[in-house]
Amino acid sequence: MSTATITPELIVQHQLSESEYRKIVSILNREPTYTELGIFSVMWSEHCSYKSSRLHLKKLPTGGARVLQGPGENAGIVDIGGGYAIAFKIESHNHPSFIEPFQGAATGVGGILRDIFTMGARPIAVMDSLRFGRPDDPVSGARNRRILDGVVSGIAHYGNCFGVPTVGGECLFEPCYDGNPLVNVFALGIFPKDQIFYARASGAGNPVIYVGAKTGRDGIHGASMASAEFSEESKQKRPNVQVGDPFMEKLLLEACLEAMRTGAIVGIQDMGAAGLTCSTCEMGSRGGVGVEIDLRHVPQRETGMSPYEIMLSESQERMLLVAEKGREEEVFAVFRKWGLDAVTIGQVTGDGLLRVKDHGRVVAEIPNRELADEAPLYDRPHSQPLRRAPMEAPVFGGGDPGEDLAAILASPDVASKRWIWQQYDYMVRTNTVAGPGGDAAIVRIKETGASIAMSLDGNPRFCYLSPREGARLNVAECCRNLSTVGALPVAATNCLNFGNPERPEIMAQLVESIEGMAEACRFFETPITGGNVSLYNETLGEGIYPTPVVGVVGLMKTTQPVTIDFKSEGRAILLLGGLGDCDETRFGGTQYAKVVVKELWGLPPALDMEYEKCVHAAAREIVAEGLAESAHDLSDGGLAVALAESSFGPAGIGADITVESRLRPELLLFHEGPSRILLSSAEPGRVARIAERHSVELVRLGETVRGRIEVRNREVVLISDEIGRFQRGWEGALEEYVR
Amino acid sequence: MRFGVIVFPGSNCDHDAWYAVQNNLGQPAEFIWHRSPSLGQVDAVILPGGFSYGDYLRCGAIAKFSPVMEAVRRFAAAGGPVLGICNGFQILVETGLLPGALMRNAGLRFVCKRVRLRVETTRSPFTSEAEKGQVLTFPVAHGECRYVADERTLDELEAEDRVALRYLDNPNGSLRDIAGILNRERNVMGLMPHPERVTEPLMGSNDGLTIFRSMAAAFALAR
C-alpha cells in the first residue's frame, strides 16, 4: 500500500482530533493511507458516528410489542397488523439546505426515501418539519424568503416527481434560524412484514453489486460538512452539496422492489451520507464479515477520479446490495429492464476487513467493525442549558383581544401554510384520507383496512426556555394530534437539531431534551424506533434554539376523517380537558408573547402527563363513537386561535361562546396549556359521559353560529366580529411575505 | 371491459388509475410496459399521470418515442378509446393525437388542489354519463399544464364541440379555461385534472367515476 505523508494539517482538515488519529493508527497498526484517512474522517464524523450524542441516545425507549426493528438500521419498523408493517424515519438536511436550498432540500427527500425502500417498503407518505429565519426581517428577510422558496420548491420537485404524497408537516420562523435553516424530512413506507430487507452482508463469496446512478465528484465530504459550524467561507462548500434526480430515484425504487421479489438479494443498503464508504463497512460490520471491492468496476460519470474521491462521493440515487452467488443474472435482468447500471464491484469475504482496491492495488484495508461501530464516543461536559431569557414576565396586555387575535393569525408561525403545501402533490397514490392543514395527516392502507395517522412537532421557544419540559410537550402534542383524529399513538422517530455540542451549555440542551423526550415517549408508549441527530447548527457563533423534532405515528380504522372545521350551526362547542390554567411565567413562550409582546420569558406551559393521557383516551373514544363533528387540538395561540381556525372551513360556521374564568383576557384566550381539544358535537350529553368516564373535564363553551366569532368572559365581550376579518389575514399572510 | 394502463419509466399515477378501474369501477385492468409493441386484448387505454422520463426535456416529449405509443396510435386509429390524464394528456399532445401544447403554469409553481370543472359536451365515450353543464370537482396536481393552441385551433375545437371540460376556477392560465379536449373522431380524450383520484367517498368524492362509467357504458353500447 502506498502511504501518502499524513501531516498534522491534513488531519485537522479532516476534522479529526489528535487522539482520534492516534486511535486510527492503533486500529491499523500503522499510519493510514490518504484514502483511509478520508474514510475514517467521514465514518467518524459527528453526522455518521453520533459520537457526541450516542451516550445519551441510549436513554430513549426503543422497544415495544409492535416494534419489529428499532434504531440501528436504515429505518424503524412497526407491526400494524393484518400481516403488514410500516418503516419510517425522520432525517435532517440542514447544512446543505442553507448552502443550496433547492438541491439541499430535494436530496434530503431523496435520502430519506431511500432509507425506506432499501428495507423493502414502498414509500407512501412524506412530511416535513421546516425552520427558517423570519420572512419579514428588515435585514435578513430577503435571504430567508429565498431559502424558504428554494426549500419548498426542492421538496416539491423531488417528492412530486418520485410520486410520494407530501401529506403534512410544520413550519416555524425565528431569528435564530437566519443562518441555520432546518429541513427535517419524515418518510413512511409499507410492506408485508415477512418481506423485510436488512442492510447486512453475509456469505463469503457472495457478490457485492452496485446499482443506480453513476458516481461523480459531488457531495464529497458532505457528512463532515454537516458536522461543523458555518463561517463566511461556507458558500465555498457548494460543491459539497449533492444534486438530486427524482426520476432516477423512482426507477431505483421500482427496480429494487422488483429485484427483492426475485429472492436473490441477501442484503441491501442505500448510499447516503459517506456514500460507498458507509454502505460497504456498515453492511460488513452488521453481518460480521469482510467486504472487498475494486473501484475499477464502479460506474463513474467523471474521468480521473481518485480512490479517495470515489469512496467519499455522495452522488445520489445509488444502492449497494449483496446477492446470492450464482443468481446475479436475475438481479441484473431487473435493473436492465429499468435502464439502470448494475455491476458486481466485489465480494463478501470472511476476514472482517473493508478492502478497497484500485485496479487490483490495495488502497485501503480497515476492519469493518472498528470503522463502523467503534468510532470515538464522547461524554462531553454539560452544564446549565443556554438561555438568555428572563424568568420574570414584563408588563403586558390591555390591548383589544380581537386585534391581538388577528395579529397572531396573520403572523408567519400561525398563518395558513397553504402556500407551501399546495406546491406538494399530497394526493398521489390515492391513500390520503386527511392531508395537510389538519392536526394530523392520515393515510389509508389499501391492503388492510387500517389507516396510519402521523404528526410532527418541535416547539423551539418552549425548548429554549426548558429543553426538558419542551421536549416532553412536543411528544404530548404529537400524541394529542393523533388522538384528535382518533388514532392510537404507537411509535415515534426523532430529529435532534442543536448547536455546537462542544459548548457545555449547548450539550446541556441536548442532554436535557433527550431525557425529557425519553420520559414522555416512555409514558405515552411511543418508543423511538430511529432518527437522526444534527449538531453544529451554528453560523458565525450564533446557534439555533434547541430544536428536538419528534414524529409520532398512530393506528386507526380506515374511516371518513374528523376535520377541524365547524360543519353546521347550532352544535355544542365543547372544550375537552377544560380551560386549563396559566400564570404570567408560563405564558412567556406563547405566540402572544412572541407576536404581541415581542418577548420571550419564563417557562413553557405546565404539563401533567397523566391528565394528558386521559384526554387522549377520551378524545379517541369520542371520535370513534362518531360524536365529534369537528375536532381541533389547542396549541399555538391557544383557545382563541383554535376557535378561529375551526371557523375557517368551507361552511362559514363560527362560534358564539361564553366562558367563566378568573384568568385575565390575554391568558384566558391565548395561553398554550396542553391537554385541551376543541370539539363541536350534536350530542354533547354522550360526549360528557365519555369525558367523565375518563376523569377528564369537559366545558360547554357555547354553540356554533353562522359567520361570526363571539367570545365573552361572563358578561364581558372579548371578541365580536365577522369570521372574514380574521380569515383573510390568516389565509394570505404567508403568500404576502413571500411575494 | 378490459382497461390497459401504460407504464412509462416515471409514471406515478399508473397504480391510481389501475385501482380506480379495478376496485372502484369494478372492471379488470392491467399494466402495459412501455416497451411492449402491442396492447394485447384491451378495450381501452389509459395514459396515466406522472413524470415520464423525468419530464426533463419537455413533458411527454420522450415518451412519444416509446414502442408502445406506435400500438396506441394504431389502437386510436381503429377507434379504440384512449384517455390521457395529466402527463398522459401531455404525451397525447406530443404524439399529435391531440392538438395544442401544455406550457408552464401561469403561476410558475406546481399546484395541487381541487378544482371545479364544467362538462361542456356529453357527446363522447368519456362524458356520456354526465349532464351537459354539470359541475364536477377533480384534483389537479401539475406544474406544466397551461393549455395553449393558436386561435384557429381553439375556434375549431369549440366549433366541433371538442372541448370536453372547462375550469370554473382556472388554476394554470389555460386558454379559454380548457381542461380537457377530444380528437376529431371523439375517441381520444386528454385532460389535466385527475378523475382517478376521486372515485370513492373516502377520497372526498365519486365525481371521477363519471368518466370511467361513461367509458364502460360506451363500450357496452358498442357491443
Side-chain angles (χ1 to χ4, degrees):
Chain A
M1 246 184 293
S2 77
T3 314
T5 323
I6 307 293
T7 61
E9 293 76 42
L10 204 55
I11 296 167
V12 171
Q13 265 174 31
H14 282 78
Q15 290 171 27
L16 288 162
S17 72
E18 231 172 277
S19 69
E20 284 169 348
Y21 184 73
R22 277 199 302 273
K23 186 165 176 182
I24 292 171
V25 173
S26 90
I27 287 172
L28 296 175
N29 247 328
R30 57 176 166 79
E31 300 274 315
T33 64
Y34 181 56
T35 303
E36 286 171 337
L37 187 72
I39 288 173
F40 272 105
S41 87
V42 289
M43 285 311 296
W44 288 9
S45 68
E46 188 66 59
H47 185 83
C48 287
S49 73
Y50 300 93
K51 58 190 172 192
S52 299
S53 58
R54 226 156 69 216
L55 201 62
H56 301 284
L57 293 174
K58 288 183 186 146
K59 298 171 186 167
L60 294 166
T62 57
R66 289 182 181 278
V67 177
L68 302 178
Q69 175 66 52
E73 267 284 343
N74 283 297
I77 301 177
V78 168
D79 191 338
I80 60 163
Y84 279 79
I86 50 172
F88 64 96
K89 195 167 79 166
I90 187 167
E91 252 193 14
S92 64
H93 229 217
N94 305 336
H95 293 76
S97 301
F98 174 53
I99 295 187
E100 214 298 280
F102 182 92
Q103 289 297 345
T107 53
V109 176
I112 189 70
L113 288 172
R114 279 194 302 286
D115 280 336
I116 301 303
F117 71 77
T118 191
M119 307 206 70
R122 178 179 284 279
I124 57 167
V126 161
M127 296 203 295
D128 314 285
S129 178
L130 309 176
R131 302 286 181 278
F132 302 103
R134 292 193 58 112
D136 52 348
D137 187 283
V139 180
S140 56
R143 186 179 66 177
N144 293 337
R145 291 193 296 272
R146 186 181 59 77
I147 295 174
L148 165 67
D149 192 14
V151 165
V152 171
S153 306
I155 292 170
H157 165 71
Y158 209 101
N160 296 351
C161 179
F162 179 82
V164 64
T166 302
V167 296
E170 45 143 29
C171 177
L172 299 170
F173 303 84
E174 292 284 347
C176 67
Y177 302 116
D178 263 358
N180 306 284
L182 303 185
V183 176
N184 293 182
V185 187
F186 165 99
L188 182 143
I190 172 101
F191 48 1
K193 74 175 186 186
D194 57 357
Q195 290 171 34
I196 300 171
F197 282 79
Y198 293 99
R200 262 171 233 158
S202 65
N206 277 339
V208 174
I209 299 174
Y210 170 116
V211 301
K214 292 178 170 44
T215 296
R217 287 195 171 90
D218 49 335
I220 291 172
H221 271 303
S224 316
M225 174 185 77
S227 307
E229 292 176 36
F230 276 148
S231 62
E232 287 291 357
E233 288 82 50
S234 296
K235 287 192 191 103
Q236 295 169 5
K237 299 201 172 177
R238 200 160 285 152
N240 289 13
V241 180
Q242 315 85 330
V243 177
D245 179 352
F247 169 60
M248 175 66 85
E249 180 111 326
K250 166 72 173 167
L251 301 183
L252 198 55
L253 161 77
E254 299 299 342
C256 285
L257 295 187
E258 202 171 313
M260 287 167 176
R261 287 196 290 272
T262 65
I265 293 181
V266 174
I268 176 167
Q269 174 157 353
D270 79 300
M271 293 190 224
L276 198 48
T277 292
C278 186
S279 50
T280 46
C281 74
E282 284 193 354
M283 281 185 79
S285 178
R286 287 200 194 96
V289 294
V291 172
E292 181 180 301
I293 58 173
D294 193 322
L295 301 178
R296 161 176 54 176
H297 305 300
V298 172
Q300 296 161 45
R301 65 162 186 260
E302 297 179 57
T303 53
M305 288 182 74
S306 69
Y308 181 98
E309 289 172 321
I310 296 170
M311 286 306 287
L312 268 60
S313 163
E314 292 189 6
S315 290
Q316 299 288 291
E317 293 94 22
R318 302 178 300 161
M319 300 282 229
L320 194 73
L321 55 91
V322 173
E324 257 178 58
K325 192 175 169 61
R327 298 185 65 184
E328 295 91 330
E329 188 45 39
E330 293 171 58
V331 175
F332 292 154
V334 171
F335 285 90
R336 261 201 309 274
K337 172 186 165 189
W338 290 95
L340 296 174
D341 274 328
V343 280
T344 300
I345 60 167
Q347 56 175 338
V348 176
T349 67
D351 61 14
L353 297 173
L354 169 63
R355 187 176 301 107
V356 182
K357 293 179 176 172
D358 181 28
H359 293 82
R361 181 175 61 95
V362 175
V363 293
E365 197 171 68
I366 308 171
N368 278 325
R369 196 166 51 84
E370 280 80 352
L371 176 60
D373 296 330
E374 294 187 8
L377 184 60
Y378 294 120
D379 185 3
R380 298 204 185 273
H382 43 98
S383 53
Q384 284 299 309
L386 172 75
R387 68 167 271 168
R388 295 201 191 97
M391 198 54 83
E392 195 79 0
V395 177
F396 67 89
D400 171 50
E403 255 166 54
D404 293 342
L405 174 59
I408 292 170
L409 287 167
S411 70
D413 283 4
V414 179
S416 165
K417 302 298 182 295
R418 193 182 59 189
W419 178 83
I420 295 176
W421 52 254
Q422 205 166 270
Q423 298 184 53
Y424 303 148
D425 187 343
Y426 52 88
M427 296 182 255
V428 63
R429 302 204 65 76
T430 60
N431 295 321
T432 309
V433 175
D439 285 329
I442 306 172
V443 173
R444 63 130 170 225
I445 305 300
K446 288 190 179 109
E447 292 83 352
T448 70
S451 286
I452 311 293
M454 54 201 110
S455 167
L456 301 182
D457 194 66
N459 187 317
R461 291 167 71 82
F462 291 173
C463 292
Y464 183 66
L465 295 175
S466 167
R468 187 180 303 272
E469 291 184 36
R472 287 170 36 188
L473 283 160
N474 289 346
V475 177
E477 157 101 38
C478 273
C479 293
R480 189 162 68 247
N481 287 152
L482 297 185
S483 301
T484 302
V485 300
L488 176 71
V490 295
T493 175
N494 64 359
C495 196
L496 304 170
N497 308 276
F498 291 83
N500 182 347
E502 292 162 42
R503 292 165 61 191
E505 67 278 18
I506 300 294
M507 192 62 208
Q509 292 178 337
L510 175 63
V511 173
E512 296 204 2
S513 291
I514 290 175
E515 289 175 359
M517 186 177 284
E519 187 192 347
C521 284
R522 207 163 268 127
F523 187 83
F524 292 109
E525 298 161 82
T526 52
I528 300 275
T529 60
N532 170 237
V533 181
S534 170
L535 304 177
Y536 298 95
N537 290 287
E538 297 196 10
T539 293
L540 302 173
E542 267 307 302
I544 57 167
Y545 286 165
T547 316
V549 171
V550 65
V552 181
V553 299
L555 295 179
M556 61 191 289
K557 218 174 73 195
T558 297
T559 177
Q560 286 291 345
V562 175
T563 52
I564 65 178
D565 54 307
F566 297 136
K567 309 292 184 303
S568 34
E569 284 175 78
R571 298 294 189 247
I573 297 178
L574 309 165
L575 189 55
L576 183 71
L579 285 166
D581 199 4
C582 187
D583 60 21
E584 272 78 2
T585 305
R586 295 273 179 191
F587 193 64
T590 61
Q591 287 295 328
Y592 183 95
K594 179 174 176 176
V595 176
V596 181
V597 192
K598 300 188 169 59
E599 299 277 358
L600 176 65
W601 73 86
L603 291 168
L607 169 67
D608 175 346
M609 292 204 294
E610 290 280 355
Y611 187 65
E612 177 82 35
K613 205 176 192 177
C614 295
V615 171
H616 299 175
R620 285 195 299 270
E621 193 174 329
I622 291 163
V623 170
E625 294 285 318
L627 300 176
E629 251 185 37
S630 73
H632 188 13
D633 95 299
L634 269 56
S635 62
D636 287 3
L639 174 62
V641 165
L643 270 177
E645 286 176 342
S646 300
S647 304
F648 295 160
I653 303 294
D656 185 341
I657 69 165
T658 304
V659 298
E660 302 220 353
S661 169
R662 47 162 197 83
L663 290 176
R664 51 189 283 202
E666 296 80 24
L667 267 55
L668 168 64
L669 291 171
F670 300 110
H671 89 75
E672 297 179 6
S675 319
R676 299 183 297 164
I677 297 169
L678 188 71
L679 306 166
S680 67
S681 176
E683 298 185 71
R686 287 179 64 192
V687 174
R689 281 194 290 281
I690 292 173
E692 198 182 340
R693 191 143 30 77
H694 290 274
S695 307
V696 169
E697 200 184 337
L698 183 81
V699 182
R700 182 166 182 161
L701 299 175
E703 62 179 43
T704 54
V705 294
R706 182 158 295 280
R708 291 191 68 80
I709 298 177
E710 308 275 350
V711 182
R712 285 172 299 272
N713 188 3
R714 300 197 178 94
E715 294 83 40
V716 183
V717 176
L718 298 176
I719 297 169
S720 173
D721 223 318
E722 288 176 3
I723 294 173
R725 180 198 170 196
F726 303 107
Q727 192 168 0
R728 278 186 294 275
W730 177 80
E731 269 179 358
L734 198 59
E735 212 165 335
E736 284 292 310
Y737 285 124
V738 177
R739 200 183 293 146
Chain B
M1 179 182 194
R2 179 165 277 280
F3 285 74
V5 179
I6 312 285
V7 181
F8 298 97
S11 293
N12 65 28
C13 302
D14 46 347
H15 189 265
D16 299 356
W18 179 90
Y19 186 82
V21 169
Q22 181 90 25
N23 278 64
N24 298 337
L25 181 68
Q27 298 289 336
E30 64 185 70
F31 294 112
I32 301 172
W33 184 236
H34 74 116
R35 285 210 190 117
S36 168
S38 97
L39 298 175
Q41 296 302 307
V42 300
D43 306 306
V45 169
I46 299 176
L47 303 180
F51 290 71
S52 55
Y53 294 92
D55 280 347
Y56 286 135
L57 179 57
R58 201 173 57 235
C59 300
I62 308 261
K64 82 168 169 186
F65 295 113
S66 277
V68 78
M69 286 312 294
E70 205 33 64
V72 171
R73 271 193 206 95
R74 283 196 305 270
F75 182 78
V82 176
L83 175 67
I85 304 167
C86 200
N87 194 228
F89 185 10
Q90 292 163 336
I91 295 168
L92 290 175
V93 165
E94 286 289 337
T95 315
L97 285 169
L98 291 172
L102 292 142
M103 313 277 285
R104 192 96 189 270
N105 291 352
L108 300 181
R109 288 180 188 281
F110 191 95
V111 57
C112 179
K113 64 175 181 182
R114 290 175 196 277
V115 296
R116 291 172 307 144
L117 306 164
R118 190 174 59 226
V119 178
E120 299 289 85
T121 180
T122 56
R123 281 203 308 124
S124 87
F126 309 97
T127 54
S128 58
E129 293 292 292
E131 301 282 329
K132 191 173 159 83
Q134 186 181 346
V135 175
L136 300 171
T137 301
F138 292 176
V140 292
H142 59 221
E144 301 190 15
C145 300
R146 181 164 64 95
Y147 184 74
V148 297
D150 58 44
E151 287 294 310
R152 225 187 68 196
T153 306
L154 293 170
D155 290 344
E156 204 174 275
L157 283 172
E158 288 178 346
E160 294 173 3
D161 194 25
R162 288 163 55 196
V163 176
L165 298 158
R166 255 190 245 271
Y167 297 112
L168 290 182
D169 15 36
N170 190 338
N172 52 31
S174 288
L175 296 181
R176 303 196 192 177
D177 297 327
I178 287 173
I181 56 169
L182 295 158
N183 66 343
R184 189 161 282 140
E185 294 72 27
R186 312 185 83 77
N187 66 320
V188 176
M189 181 167 92
L191 80 169
M192 276 336 294
H194 288 274
E196 81 282 14
R197 293 188 182 188
V198 274
T199 52
E200 57 185 314
L202 200 62
M203 294 292 103
S205 93
N206 264 340
D207 281 10
L209 269 186
T210 307
I211 305 290
F212 300 104
R213 280 199 190 118
S214 298
M215 292 173 79
F219 178 73
L221 207 64
R223 284 181 66 162

